[in-house]
Amino acid sequence: MITQAYINDILDQQKKFFKTGKTLDLSFRIRQLKRLKSAVIQYEDEIKNALSKDLGRHGAEAYFCDIGTIILEINETIEGLRKWAKPETHFSGLTCFPSIITKVYKMPYGNTLIISPFNFPFTLSLGVLIPAIAGGNTAVIKASSKSSYSTQVLKKVVTAFFPTKYVAVIDGGHDVADMCLEAGFDKIFYTGSPKVGKHVMEMASMLTSYLFNSRRHFR
């Protein structure tokens, strides 16, 4: 049974790992993307089988809509990451005079939460994990309880290739999703219905407001 304490413990592990600075290294990020690609290729048959059981998805459709798409995105990200991560120089504008040049550095959010839907359990979990890793973040994937076979394979893939302190998968229903939202992640990725999206936004904004007021109170 998933509890709030269990989720908080995973997040604490990931916070400690992020603070080590290991995820900031571009070579580290690229290695992890390559590991993710290897994982998807290694478990291709199991992914196809799970999608067939959960969604009745044909093997060819599973490859083109899920597996192949993820591999292509990983390849593109690996190829472009060093360029994308470089600092950018911009003209600040006359209103900022005497400072006329602005340097923008690309920094990760930190600890991310990925809430994936049932209909694309791999594309909208591992596919979102790609930019999370590329950006130098840790990640927790909250997988859908409605695609149980896919969730089990997803857990197997992630557990086999990544430590929990870096990437983890949590399954369960809406109650578990709410526990994840209450844990206090730095960035939330959500794909799904507008109704649930509003709920996610409300919980995230309430937590942000609470943390802001708490910090202001103790100054």
Side-chain angles (χ1 to χ4, degrees), residues 25 28 37 45 49 55 79 84-85 108 124 209-210:
D25 181 59
F28 173 84
K37 179 180 175 180
D45 290 338
N49 186 46
L55 302 166
E79 183 179 350
W84 301 339
L124 295 176
S209 176
Y210 170 77

Side-chain angles (χ1 to χ4, degrees), residues 42-219:
Q42 180 175 320
Y43 285 93
E44 178 180 335
D45 290 338
E46 289 191 44
I47 291 172
K48 287 180 178 178
N49 186 46
L51 288 169
S52 175
K53 289 180 177 179
D54 284 330
L55 302 166
R57 194 162 290 169
H58 188 275
E61 182 184 1
Y63 186 84
F64 285 108
C65 294
D66 296 89
I67 299 164
T69 298
I70 292 170
I71 292 172
L72 285 173
E73 287 188 15
I74 293 173
N75 289 341
E76 181 181 1
T77 303
I78 290 173
E79 183 179 350
L81 183 56
R82 292 191 183 278
K83 180 181 177 181
W84 301 339
K86 287 181 179 179
E88 295 179 358
T89 302
H90 299 276
F91 174 59
S92 302
L94 295 177
T95 55
C96 294
F97 186 83
S99 173
I100 58 173
I101 299 297
T102 299
K103 197 96 168 181
V104 179
Y105 293 88
K106 318 294 181 59
M107 299 301 293
Y109 282 95
N111 311 110
T112 65
L113 172 64
I114 301 168
I115 304 176
S116 64
F118 77 96
N119 54 343
F120 284 95
F122 294 100
T123 303
L124 295 176
S125 58
L126 298 182
V128 181
L129 180 61
I130 296 167
I133 289 175
N137 306 282
T138 67
V140 169
I141 299 172
K142 163 53 186 75
S144 175
S145 59
K146 295 179 180 179
S147 49
S148 57
Y149 290 102
S150 296
T151 294
Q152 292 307 309
V153 174
L154 184 63
K155 290 175 73 174
K156 185 186 293 187
V157 169
V158 170
T159 303
F161 282 80
F162 300 102
T164 301
K165 65 181 181 180
Y166 182 47
V167 183
V169 177
I170 296 174
D171 59 355
H174 295 302
D175 57 331
V176 175
D178 282 349
M179 288 185 220
C180 290
L181 291 169
E182 289 172 2
F185 286 85
D186 299 310
K187 177 72 174 179
I188 301 170
F189 298 92
Y190 169 76
T191 305
S193 71
K195 180 180 179 181
V196 178
K198 290 178 182 178
H199 175 69
V200 171
M201 184 175 66
E202 285 173 0
M203 290 200 66
S205 62
M206 285 174 61
L207 181 62
T208 300
S209 176
Y210 170 77
L211 292 174
F212 174 78
N213 290 327
S214 296
R215 288 169 184 165
R216 185 173 60 180
H217 176 74
F218 287 109
R219 281 178 180 174

